[in-house]
Amino acid sequence: MKNFKKSNNDGSIAFGFIILGIGIILLLRKVGVFIPSWVLTWPMILIVIGLFSVIKHEFKSFFGFLMLFLGTYFLARNSFDFDFGIGQYVWPLGLITLGLYLILQKKRENQVLDEIRTNWDAKFKTQKMHTGSAFSSTVEDAKIVDESGASDSTASGDKSGFTRTTGTSFADSLNIDAVFSGVNRRMMTKNFQGGKITAAFGGADLDLTQADFSGVVTIQVDIIFGGVKLIVPPHWDIRTEVSNIAAGLEDKRFFRDGGVDSSKVVVLKGTILFGGLEIKSY
């Protein structure tokens, strides 16, 4: 299977600079410093989102560059009267480009899933040759059970996994980006290791009721003009270290009589700007 380079930038630094810039602009405006009117226009929102996406993905984000182009074009046209003579073609070309991107992205996802299946099949055959045990494997269940009932590599700490189109994830860590979109994710791992959630003008629903872990895990939550709903088992110890700026944070869990389990601690870190984070349990 191909080796995919893991990004060294989780987006927190870029998100922090964006929040810092917005704060500085608002502060300067409050103290009477002149701020150009175009700084607070809607094309600037597209530019900010584009910058965030481009920096977060180390300048390899098609979506980020598309947002930058649209934001820059409309800013130049609306605020500086530069039309470049392409006004009537912007939206058709933008939709065509976006459509091609979605088609190619889906094709790439299918290729990755095929490679995962091929790699797993090869791995299972090797294990069977060395141990002589009978394995049953299906992608639907994403589970391997030997004759003694032992679980597969997901329980042994392997971070590999995949997410089905239904939103069910068998990975050990989170990596959710909801930008102008909605994401539903249900984690099935028994070795949950935390991760990150970014919601910008979008929403994310994360169901951890089927997940399990021991110790302390951290989830980085960055929300700007969006919302995140986190569904967790009622006995988990959820600790919030989130900065709220004109935002809401609600814990609506139903606590059991036994209290929380100190051996399962989830620390929520990050920033919420004009958004909301809701924690629930069944």
Side-chain angles (χ1 to χ4, degrees):
M1 185 171 68
K2 295 179 182 179
N3 294 323
F4 294 95
K5 181 181 177 182
K6 182 178 180 181
S7 174
N8 295 321
N9 181 11
D10 63 359
S12 301
I13 296 178
F15 192 85
F17 275 112
I18 291 172
I19 299 300
L20 177 64
I22 294 174
I24 291 175
I25 291 173
L26 294 177
L27 177 62
L28 292 176
R29 193 179 186 189
K30 288 293 184 181
V31 299
V33 176
F34 172 73
I35 301 296
S37 59
W38 56 266
V39 174
L40 303 176
T41 57
W42 67 267
M44 282 299 299
I45 297 177
L46 300 181
I47 293 176
V48 169
I49 294 173
L51 286 174
F52 172 75
S53 182
V54 166
I55 295 174
K56 179 177 180 297
H57 294 92
E58 299 180 339
F59 298 90
K60 297 178 182 179
S61 171
F62 170 83
F63 175 82
F65 282 112
L66 180 61
M67 291 295 101
L68 276 176
F69 169 75
L70 292 176
T72 302
Y73 169 76
F74 286 111
L75 180 66
R77 189 193 69 176
N78 297 347
S79 300
F80 302 100
D81 295 327
F82 292 137
D83 191 12
F84 305 106
I86 61 173
Q88 58 182 331
Y89 306 111
V90 169
W91 286 116
L93 291 176
L95 292 175
I96 292 173
T97 304
L98 181 60
L100 290 174
Y101 168 74
L102 294 175
I103 293 172
L104 295 176
Q105 182 71 9
K106 185 62 179 179
K107 185 176 180 180
R108 179 180 178 276
E109 290 176 358
N110 291 334
Q111 290 175 346
V112 172
L113 287 177
D114 290 340
E115 290 171 355
I116 290 174
R117 295 189 188 102
T118 303
N119 186 64
W120 279 18
D121 289 341
K123 180 179 178 181
F124 300 157
K125 290 179 181 178
T126 302
Q127 289 178 339
K128 187 174 181 179
M129 292 175 60
H130 284 83
T131 64
S133 300
F135 291 90
S136 61
S137 91
T138 62
V139 176
E140 288 294 325
D141 295 328
K143 183 171 65 175
I144 311 160
V145 181
D146 60 16
E147 292 179 347
S148 63
S151 60
D152 68 345
S153 61
T154 303
S156 65
D158 188 1
K159 293 184 179 180
S160 64
F162 64 93
T163 301
R164 295 167 57 186
T165 55
T166 58
T168 302
S169 175
F170 300 95
D172 290 342
S173 59
L174 285 169
N175 188 5
I176 297 177
D177 292 316
V179 181
F180 282 106
S181 63
V183 176
N184 292 307
R185 189 69 47 84
R186 172 178 292 180
M187 305 296 294
M188 305 298 292
T189 177
K190 302 304 178 184
N191 186 30
F192 182 57
Q193 299 179 12
K196 67 179 186 67
I197 305 173
T198 302
F201 297 90
D205 289 352
L206 175 62
D207 187 348
L208 294 171
T209 55
Q210 302 300 317
D212 198 9
F213 72 100
S214 295
V216 180
V217 298
T218 301
I219 301 178
Q220 179 76 26
V221 182
D222 294 316
I223 305 171
I224 175 171
F225 293 99
V228 171
K229 181 167 70 174
L230 185 63
I231 305 175
V232 299
H235 63 282
W236 284 11
D237 185 359
I238 308 296
R239 304 179 185 180
T240 58
E241 300 177 7
V242 178
S243 300
N244 298 341
I245 304 175
L249 174 58
E250 297 182 276
D251 192 340
K252 297 182 177 180
R253 287 180 293 162
F254 295 100
F255 294 96
R256 301 189 309 179
D257 295 336
V260 298
D261 187 349
S262 58
S263 66
K264 301 181 187 297
V265 180
V266 178
V267 181
L268 302 178
K269 296 184 178 182
T271 303
I272 307 175
L273 173 65
F274 296 104
L277 172 61
E278 181 181 2
I279 305 172
K280 299 181 64 176
S281 66
Y282 293 130

